[in-house]
Amino acid sequence: MAHKIIINLKIELSLNTSPICSICGQPIEPKQRMSLDHYIPKCHGGTDTADNLFPAHTICNSIKNDLMPDEFEQQKQELYQTALDNWHLKRKDKIILENALKHMR
């Protein structure tokens, strides 16, 4: 059942002209990779239900990892900067992170 919900949400979001990343707040452009973020991570008891799943850039979701929302907000700028400085990123992902950091400052 959970997989069906995730598939339906991904289809619905892909039909949307420009969903917004729930993590960085930027639009997810058609050529950018999108994933579904578990607002409350599954390892902390989060579910695969629509009220816990939100669109996100794949790179942003990777940075958030399994942090709880409040933990992530406290570390967000540092995590984005570390990823920008140390991860091997595709150009598209690098631009997403640079723009997100600009809006955090």
Side-chain angles (χ1 to χ4, degrees):
M1 179 72 170
H3 293 293
K4 185 176 181 181
I5 292 170
I6 292 171
I7 291 168
N8 287 344
L9 279 170
K10 282 189 174 185
I11 291 168
E12 186 178 321
L13 289 168
S14 68
L15 296 175
N16 189 345
T17 54
S18 195
I20 302 297
C21 177
S22 62
I23 298 171
C24 74
Q26 298 177 81
I28 303 171
E29 303 298 333
K31 294 191 179 199
Q32 294 173 335
R33 294 182 325 157
M34 182 184 75
S35 64
L36 289 175
D37 171 46
H38 287 82
Y39 182 72
I40 304 297
K42 290 179 78 169
C43 65
H44 293 286
T47 61
D48 285 329
T49 56
D51 62 344
N52 193 47
L53 295 170
F54 296 92
H57 291 111
T58 300
I59 188 66
C60 295
N61 207 358
S62 295
I63 292 169
K64 181 182 174 225
N65 199 4
D66 62 358
L67 292 173
M68 290 292 283
D70 57 336
E71 294 173 305
F72 179 70
E73 283 303 316
Q74 292 173 358
Q75 302 174 43
K76 190 174 183 175
Q77 188 168 352
E78 181 183 338
L79 291 168
Y80 271 71
Q81 190 64 57
T82 299
L84 192 59
D85 293 343
N86 299 318
W87 293 13
H88 295 284
L89 299 169
K90 294 183 178 183
R91 187 174 186 281
K92 288 185 248 183
D93 291 337
K94 192 172 187 174
I95 291 169
I96 291 167
L97 299 188
E98 290 171 341
N99 288 336
L101 279 167
K102 282 181 198 173
H103 294 356
M104 285 181 217
R105 294 185 178 128

